[in-house]
Amino acid sequence: MSETSVALEAERYLQAVVEAEPQEGECLVCFVTRMVEEHGCDTTYLWARRFRDLRSPTATGLEKRYWERLITCDCLIGHAHRLVQELMVRDVHTDELEPPLHQPSCAGVRRTSTQACANWERVRRA
Ligand SMILES: [Zn+2]
Ligand SMILES: [Zn+2]
């Protein structure tokens, strides 16, 4: 990639960050998962911070809380949660429960909450 296209790419990314906004009532986990899917993870809490700044600016302990659970970037926030069983779809071939093709719309949280909505449950670590 040339130097200009790298700069352009970075600029487009920054623009995406500025424009990214959680939908009305959307929870942090739905927002971060959606953004990582669309734009990727830059190995920081870019999207989680964006959410916090817009919705819950006083939740300054957010990164620390995740860090302590070894969730060190946005995509790991997604991996630390899975959809509750009712939202999974059964694969007719393998009979296994799979996440649906499209992320279900957020079940909604209080505007200033940084908790996951009812769509998600925490993945327990072994
Ligand atoms: Zn990541
Ligand atoms: Zn949600």
Side-chain angles (χ1 to χ4, degrees):
M1 227 193 276
S2 74
E3 231 166 85
T4 16
S5 69
V6 170
L8 249 171
E9 195 53 46
E11 203 169 298
R12 210 172 317 157
Y13 201 73
L14 279 179
Q15 192 58 31
V17 175
V18 172
E19 284 168 6
E21 261 194 59
Q23 284 154 11
E24 196 58 47
E26 188 177 30
C27 76
L28 183 139
V29 178
C30 286
F31 174 71
V32 169
T33 310
R34 197 159 61 79
M35 289 300 122
V36 167
E37 215 160 85
E38 264 173 55
H39 304 288
C41 172
D42 76 342
T43 74
T44 70
Y45 297 117
L46 180 71
W47 303 115
R49 281 201 185 108
R50 175 79 184 146
F51 183 96
R52 193 261 317 279
D53 292 347
L54 289 169
R55 285 290 192 258
S56 194
T58 54
T60 49
L62 190 73
E63 292 99 328
K64 188 164 174 279
R65 215 168 69 208
Y66 280 127
W67 193 265
E68 280 167 357
R69 287 167 57 201
L70 302 177
I71 299 167
T72 51
C73 66
D74 286 329
C75 66
L76 293 179
I77 295 178
H79 291 161
H81 297 82
R82 65 166 166 241
L83 289 168
V84 292
Q85 209 171 332
E86 299 86 87
L87 292 172
M88 302 285 266
V89 284
R90 192 166 294 280
D91 187 303
V92 285
H93 303 293
T94 63
D95 205 38
E96 300 270 327
L97 287 175
E98 306 264 352
L101 215 49
H102 299 286
Q103 190 179 322
S105 52
C106 183
V109 288
R110 265 189 311 116
R111 200 181 156 81
T112 55
S113 173
T114 55
Q115 300 297 316
C117 70
N119 288 358
W120 304 97
E121 62 185 11
R122 276 193 194 182
V123 176
R124 254 177 261 274
R125 282 167 192 276

